[in-house]
């Protein structure tokens, strides 16, 4: 059976690459520290020696809109083009082509259906920065095949936090059952408290520093009971109009299981708190 080598949950700040590769005189004050933290986080994936990446993210209305927005979708393509024009223009993110892992995609899709998750699928999926930013930060050589999974964190009605946790547990079961000797890592990106286009967007911290502190503690300690007792759609909205991306981080903890993280770090940037969490299920990375 396959080995789940590592599970990573991270925020996906689209300006990371531009902010840390600009001429030094043009960089933000936190750029050097940001780069050091990301490179340290990258090592948590590198030492797990993954051979396949299961990538969890959310489409930012690039190819799904209110006329047809799936709650959950899996990519089943042999390869994936990445980066939309506005992401190149605004964030300086280059184009990518990632290899897909069709066999694991098919196996996972069947397993999810059998567990009551009626996933949509795409054989022509294009990836946006929710998946490409974690590739840039954790596997910049982009040399491993991927199984992309998209969730709905933007278009109400949204699945519940409990549904995201349950989906993570189902994905873990499927990875454990996959008939292969491959080492698989799961990488998912979302948000802590976040405001996009609202009055709290341009403060010097994230819109709800107390939520950020609690969320990192809950993820780091594997405290799913506290998350499900305290995190609702309404509470996330009070913490910022885009805070619902935290549910993708709940999903990642579901894949790992309710276990303490092996690695936890964060960085306060202008208007956002970045988080970097890694779990090693059953001591997979020594």
């Amino acid at each position: 059976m396959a080995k789940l080598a590592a599970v990573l949950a991270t925020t996906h700040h689209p300006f990371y690459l531009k902010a840390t590769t600009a001429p030094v005189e043009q960089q933000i004050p936190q750029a050097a520290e940001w780069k050091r933290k990301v490179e340290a986080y990258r090592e948590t994936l590198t030492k797990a020696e993954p051979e396949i990446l299961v990538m969890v993210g959310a489409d930012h209305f690039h190819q799904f809109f209110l006329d047809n927005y799936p709650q959950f979708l899996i990519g089943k393509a042999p390869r994936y083009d990445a980066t939309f024009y506005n992401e190149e223009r605004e964030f300086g993110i280059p184009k990518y082509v990632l290899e897909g892992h069709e066999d694991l995609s098919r196996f996972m899709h069947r397993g999810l259906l059998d567990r009551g998750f009626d996933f949509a699928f795409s054989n022509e999926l294009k990836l946006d920065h929710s998946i490409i930013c974690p590739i840039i930060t954790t596997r910049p050589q982009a040399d491993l095949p991927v199984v992309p999974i998209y969730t709905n964190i933007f278009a109400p009605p949204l699945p519940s936090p409990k549904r995201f946790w349950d989906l993570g547990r189902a994905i873990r079961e499927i990875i454990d059952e996959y008939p292969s000797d491959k080492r698989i890592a799961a990488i998912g990106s979302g948000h802590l408290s976040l405001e996009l286009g609202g009055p709290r967007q341009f403060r010097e911290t994230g819109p709800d520093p107390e939520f950020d502190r609690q969320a990192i503690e809950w993820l780091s300690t594997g405290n799913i009971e506290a998350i499900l007792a305290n995190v609702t759609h309404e509470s996330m909205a009070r913490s910022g109009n885009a805070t619902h991306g935290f549910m993708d981080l709940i999903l990642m903890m579901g894949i790992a299981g309710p276990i303490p993280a092996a690695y936890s770090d964060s960085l306060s940037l202008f208007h956002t708190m970045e988080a970097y969490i890694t779990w090693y299920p059953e001591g997979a990375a020594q």
Side-chain angles (χ1 to χ4, degrees):
M1 297 295 102
K3 181 74 170 181
L4 181 60
V7 180
L8 281 68
T10 178
T11 46
H12 58 255
H13 201 305
F15 281 109
Y16 169 76
L17 185 64
K18 189 173 185 178
T20 56
T21 58
V24 174
E25 64 274 12
Q26 298 177 20
Q27 292 183 5
I28 61 173
Q30 304 99 321
E33 181 184 11
W34 197 1
K35 185 176 181 180
R36 285 194 301 271
K37 284 179 176 283
V38 163
E39 290 177 347
Y41 185 54
R42 184 180 304 159
E43 285 303 306
T44 71
L45 178 66
T46 300
K47 77 175 187 177
E49 299 181 337
E51 297 170 275
I52 305 171
L53 301 179
V54 174
M55 304 291 300
V56 177
D59 179 73
H60 292 72
F61 294 108
H62 282 116
Q63 58 200 312
F64 306 130
F65 199 63
L66 300 182
D67 59 337
N68 187 9
Y69 203 114
Q71 298 291 4
F72 300 114
L73 177 142
I74 187 167
K76 299 174 72 174
R79 65 191 56 83
Y80 300 94
D81 291 334
T83 311
F84 289 81
Y85 171 70
N86 70 308
E87 297 171 313
E88 295 181 74
R89 181 192 65 216
E90 299 298 328
F91 309 141
I93 300 175
K95 291 183 179 297
Y96 284 83
V97 177
L98 302 183
E99 179 186 355
H101 199 287
E102 293 177 275
D103 188 67
L104 179 54
S105 286
R106 286 191 295 265
F107 185 83
M108 185 165 291
H109 190 201
R110 180 73 261 170
L112 290 164
L113 292 172
D114 290 345
R115 288 165 174 80
F117 290 91
D118 295 331
F119 261 59
F121 71 91
S122 174
N123 291 316
E124 299 182 353
L125 186 66
K126 185 171 180 177
L127 305 180
D128 80 358
H129 69 273
S130 68
I131 286 178
I132 288 305
C133 285
I135 289 290
I136 289 169
T137 54
T138 66
R139 194 74 181 190
Q141 58 269 51
D143 60 340
L144 297 177
V146 302
V147 174
I149 292 174
Y150 270 154
T151 69
N152 178 15
I153 59 171
F154 291 121
L158 307 179
S160 69
K162 176 66 161 51
R163 189 66 168 164
F164 277 76
W165 164 260
D166 290 342
L167 175 55
R169 299 308 296 151
I171 292 171
R172 170 63 179 276
E173 289 180 3
I174 295 164
I175 290 173
D176 288 345
E177 293 175 4
Y178 182 53
S180 167
D181 61 357
K182 296 294 187 181
R183 294 175 64 83
I184 298 173
I187 305 173
S189 73
H191 312 129
L192 297 177
S193 72
L194 187 64
E195 183 95 349
L196 295 177
R200 293 178 289 179
Q201 178 170 350
F202 297 108
R203 294 182 178 178
E204 293 183 358
T205 67
D208 190 343
E210 179 58 21
F211 173 84
D212 295 343
R213 183 195 65 77
Q214 287 186 325
I216 291 170
E217 180 180 346
W218 291 331
L219 293 169
S220 299
T221 59
N223 193 347
I224 185 58
E225 292 82 6
I227 289 175
L228 296 182
N230 291 280
V231 178
T232 65
H233 293 153
E234 293 74 21
S235 72
M236 287 184 286
R238 289 194 296 270
S239 293
N241 62 19
T243 304
H244 299 83
F246 179 63
M247 292 192 291
D248 274 344
L249 306 186
I250 298 173
L251 190 161
M252 301 316 297
M253 192 167 76
I255 299 176
I259 60 173
Y263 183 93
S264 178
D265 198 7
S266 61
L267 175 66
S268 180
L269 287 175
F270 181 64
H271 83 262
T272 181
M273 174 69 77
E274 301 302 295
Y276 310 103
I277 313 289
T278 299
W279 298 269
Y280 293 127
E282 301 176 3
Q286 303 299 323

